[in-house]
Amino acid sequence: MTSYNYLSLFGKNNKDIAVLIDPDKSKDLNDLMNVIRHCESAMIDYLFIGGSTGTREEFQYTVNFIKTNCTIPLIIFPGSPKQLSPQADAILFLSLISGRNPYYLIESQIESAEDIAEMKLNVIPTSYLLIDGGTNSSVAYVSQTTPIPSTRHAIIYKTALAGSFLGHKATYLDAGSGAKTSVPVAAVRMISEIGTTVIVGGGIKSIDQIKDYHEAGASIVVIGNHIETHPDFLMEIKEYKKV
Ligand code: 1GP
């Protein structure tokens, strides 16, 4: 661990890129090693780790493997309170405020709070907003919540604003993994004026999209699926990061 202060510095470089690693899809350690090597070469700023399934032991095993072999900061993006590891650099302490399921608003947080304190994990209080991405996302299914329609920018805005008033330092706008349509750039622009660290993800497949989000004020753009299916995309990211 370095003296980097996640609460105040996370995402503050701006124009950051995070790659999402799902431990459930990363059981082949040669493949995982390949991905993290390419992420290092592409100057990826953060690795996010999380998924909707898996045991605590499997999760900790993957975290240990990544931390042993890679220096990119590793941030937990938890799919459940089981997804914790003292080896990670920080955790996005999420509240799914686009939904009304009490488990994802506060109960899962209570379940994990003592473990997080014992592990001395850096905590990044984060508003998590699920935006309709034109498909039935796993998050919507697992959380039993309804995403905010992507055209309802006023609802997205006031939800994110309420999250910031609750003290959340980051706002994650997620169209869900494998979304057909990603979060509208105009919504990102609006939310970035609130002043929290804006994270955007879900269905992002091109450098143009990444650039648009960064220009609209997103601090961190998250790519998951597209790197699993097109590992060469990391080379395009490398060129983008150079510029
Ligand atoms: C999902 O934002 C992430 O929670 C990443 O989505 O897998 O579609 O890139 P993708």
Side-chain angles (χ1 to χ4, degrees):
M1 273 290 302
T2 64
S3 57
Y4 182 96
N5 181 337
Y6 278 89
L7 196 53
S8 58
L9 297 176
F10 177 69
K12 291 291 183 275
N13 286 335
N14 287 321
K15 310 210 170 184
D16 285 347
I17 296 180
V19 167
L20 175 61
I21 292 181
D22 183 341
D24 221 30
K25 297 182 191 163
S26 309
K27 299 217 163 110
D28 182 324
L29 296 182
N30 287 327
D31 285 353
L32 180 57
M33 185 65 118
N34 240 332
V35 169
I36 58 183
R37 284 283 159 273
H38 284 98
C39 285
E40 283 185 318
S41 154
M43 294 173 285
I44 292 299
D45 302 280
Y46 300 102
L47 296 177
F48 283 4
I49 180 159
S52 29
T53 53
T55 65
R56 176 176 289 215
E57 290 68 30
E58 284 164 351
F59 185 81
Q60 292 191 338
Y61 182 80
T62 312
V63 169
N64 179 54
F65 182 83
I66 295 171
K67 288 303 293 176
T68 309
N69 292 291
C70 173
T71 55
I72 301 171
L74 182 63
I75 314 292
I76 300 175
F77 170 41
S80 85
K82 287 185 204 149
Q83 296 182 349
L84 297 176
S85 162
Q87 286 181 283
D89 294 286
I91 180 167
L92 297 178
F93 198 64
L94 304 170
S95 182
L96 177 48
I97 63 170
S98 57
R100 298 296 177 268
N101 181 341
Y103 184 75
Y104 292 94
L105 281 166
I106 186 62
E107 288 175 29
S108 62
Q109 294 79 353
I110 295 170
E111 255 178 55
S112 61
E114 279 187 312
D115 288 343
I116 290 173
E118 268 168 34
M119 291 179 186
K120 298 189 171 37
L121 266 171
N122 288 301
V123 170
I124 302 162
T126 303
S127 292
Y128 185 54
L129 279 69
L130 193 57
I131 313 294
D132 190 6
T135 177
N136 292 324
S137 72
S138 310
V139 184
Y141 177 76
V142 171
S143 67
Q144 293 290 295
T145 66
T146 310
I148 302 176
S150 60
T151 51
R152 305 299 297 271
H153 294 191
I155 298 177
I156 299 171
Y157 180 75
K158 60 187 178 183
T159 306
L161 190 60
S164 81
F165 290 165
L166 285 166
H168 299 169
K169 304 294 180 201
T171 309
Y172 194 146
L173 302 173
D174 197 349
S177 196
K180 282 191 194 140
T181 49
S182 299
V183 174
V185 174
V188 172
R189 189 170 297 114
M190 200 190 276
I191 302 310
S192 70
E193 280 165 22
I194 294 174
T196 54
T197 293
V198 177
I199 308 168
V200 61
I204 299 168
K205 297 189 181 81
S206 73
I207 298 296
D208 283 347
Q209 279 177 296
I210 296 175
K211 193 163 172 267
D212 286 348
Y213 285 132
H214 280 152
E215 284 175 3
S219 303
I220 304 174
V221 178
V222 186
I223 322 281
N225 260 308
H226 195 58
I227 285 171
E228 287 164 20
T229 53
H230 298 80
D232 288 352
F233 188 55
L234 281 165
M235 293 302 104
E236 288 181 50
I237 292 178
K238 184 176 181 174
E239 292 309 308
Y240 171 70
K241 294 288 282 183
K242 275 190 200 158
V243 179

